[in-house]
Every structure is written in structure tokens, then in C-alpha cells.
């Protein structure tokens, strides 16, 4: 990890996508930006995916994150909802990969556990803890944005352990020369 590491946290969704950006050093973390992309007004699922991709690209171009931490889809009973959430996550990941930014994925329980000490914490508990940890004033919480900040926070405190990294084909090819057939 760089001395100054910019981490973009993403809480993917097709109704609301939360994002949060933190600057992390070995000694402290600070809030750079947090917000939500509202997608309710778009009826077409594919248009929502396009908006997620475009907004993720804009965030990357504006803030130049070193790494991206994204919340993994959770396994629920509604298969269609999980499929849509996976697609939202996928297009955000594609935007990151097109910029060559490493992606790290964390399960929702892991994120909540890292931030609050309770893997079953509510969105409001996560928001309050993130606000305290990153020392910003309480506002009308953007709960998906504070969830995204929690993902970025989780990534930072995980260090180099338990990370699922995706760096793209160029890294895979250079890391695995014996797997390439001539």
C-alpha cells in the first residue's frame, strides 16, 4: 500500500449506488468525498447499468483512486434481485478494470464486522460508526454512501491479508508465464 492511498469504496445497487472515497495513510484516514447515484428515475435496467458505468468512470477520472473496494452481492431469496445487483457490481468493476485499478471485494458481514464489531449491524449503526471513525459531522445520512465508506474502511484495515484482488489480464499474464501456451 502506498504511503498516501486513495481508496474508492462502492456499495453497488440498481436503485442507489453509494460511493465513498477516503485517503488512508499508515497513521490516519480522512474523508475525501461521499455520495449516491440515484437510479430510481430510470426504468430500463440497461440504462441503469450504463449510468453506473459512466458515473464510476467519472469518479475514477476525478479522484484517481489507487484501489477500489466493492461490496460483494449478498445471497438472498430473490434470485432476480441478486442477478441485478451482480450486474451493477460487474459494470462498476469493468470501469475500474478499464483504468487498471486493483479491485478488492468484501462480503457485507465482513464490512459490518470491520466497522462496528457486529456482522449484523444496521445501516444506521454502520453510518454512525463511519461518521465517528472518519470524523465528519452528522448529516442526513446517505446510507448507501456511508456503506461505501465502510467498504473502503474495511479494505484499509484488512492490510494485505484476506484480499481478493483482480488486476486484469496483463497482471495475470505476467504473474503466470508458465500457464501461457505458445
Amino acid at each position: 500500500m502506498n504511503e498516501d492511498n486513495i481508496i474508492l469504496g462502492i456499495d453497488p445497487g440498481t436503485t442507489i449506488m453509494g460511493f465513498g472515497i477516503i485517503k488512508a495513510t499508515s497513521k490516519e484516514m480522512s474523508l475525501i468525498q461521499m455520495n449516491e447515484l440515484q437510479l430510481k428515475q430510470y426504468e430500463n435496467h440497461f440504462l441503469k447499468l450504463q449510468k453506473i458505468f459512466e458515473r464510476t468512470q467519472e469518479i475514477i477520472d476525478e479522484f484517481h483512486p489507487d484501489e477500489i473496494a466493492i461490496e460483494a452481492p449478498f445471497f438472498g431469496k430473490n434470485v432476480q434481485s441478486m442477478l441485478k445487483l451482480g450486474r451493477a457490481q460487474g459494470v462498476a468493476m469493468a470501469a475500474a478494470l478499464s483504468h487498471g485499478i486493483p479491485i478488492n471485494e468484501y462480503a457485507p458481514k465482513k464490512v459490518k464486522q470491520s466497522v462496528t464489531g457486529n456482522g449484523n449491524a444496521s445501516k444506521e449503526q454502520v453510518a454512525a460508526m463511519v461518521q465517528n471513525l472518519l470524523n465528519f459531522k452528522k448529516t442526513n445520512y446517505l446510507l448507501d454512501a456511508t456503506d461505501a465508506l465502510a467498504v473502503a474502511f474495511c479494505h484499509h484495515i484488512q492490510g494485505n491479508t484476506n484480499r481478493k484482488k483482480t488486476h486484469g489480464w496483463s497482471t495475470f499474464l505476467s504473474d503466470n508465464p508458465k500457464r501461457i501456451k505458445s
Side-chain angles (χ1 to χ4, degrees):
M1 188 179 295
N2 300 333
E3 181 61 32
D4 286 347
N5 199 34
I6 306 297
I7 304 168
L8 167 59
I10 298 176
D11 180 22
T14 56
T15 303
I16 301 171
M17 178 185 87
F19 68 89
I21 304 151
I22 62 172
K23 179 180 180 180
T25 67
S26 57
K27 297 181 181 181
E28 64 182 8
M29 285 180 287
S30 58
L31 172 67
I32 294 176
Q33 176 72 270
M34 66 180 234
N35 211 334
E36 295 177 340
L37 173 61
Q38 297 289 332
L39 299 159
K40 295 173 189 170
Q41 70 269 30
Y42 305 109
E43 290 184 26
N44 183 311
H45 180 67
F46 298 106
L47 182 56
K48 290 180 179 187
L49 295 176
Q50 178 184 351
K51 296 295 182 188
I52 292 167
F53 184 83
E54 290 171 352
R55 184 63 182 127
T56 304
Q57 292 266 22
E58 290 168 0
I59 294 165
I60 290 168
D61 290 340
E62 182 176 352
F63 295 100
H64 308 286
D66 299 300
E67 299 180 273
I68 292 180
I70 193 164
E71 191 170 87
F74 57 90
F75 298 98
K77 294 181 182 180
N78 187 330
V79 176
Q80 286 299 319
S81 293
M82 195 172 99
L83 177 62
K84 288 178 180 179
L85 185 60
R87 288 176 178 167
Q89 182 195 38
V91 296
M93 292 169 86
L97 290 171
S98 73
H99 283 78
I101 301 170
I103 300 167
N104 302 275
E105 184 177 46
Y106 298 95
K109 281 190 177 269
K110 178 75 167 180
V111 172
K112 291 175 181 181
Q113 178 72 35
S114 296
V115 173
T116 68
N118 176 2
N120 295 312
S122 70
K123 282 182 166 284
E124 292 79 11
Q125 289 170 318
V126 170
M129 195 61 151
V130 166
Q131 176 237 327
N132 186 42
L133 291 165
L134 294 174
N135 196 29
F136 61 89
K137 291 184 179 183
K138 184 175 179 177
T139 61
N140 290 336
Y141 283 131
L142 303 170
L143 294 177
D144 292 285
T146 52
D147 280 355
L149 286 173
V151 177
F153 176 85
C154 173
H155 172 69
H156 176 66
I157 65 168
Q158 291 302 306
N160 292 318
T161 60
N162 300 321
R163 288 191 180 174
K164 182 178 180 181
K165 293 188 177 184
T166 308
H167 296 280
W169 281 110
S170 59
T171 303
F172 175 81
L173 295 173
S174 66
D175 289 348
N176 297 283
K178 293 180 180 180
R179 295 185 72 180
I180 302 166
K181 294 184 181 183
S182 309

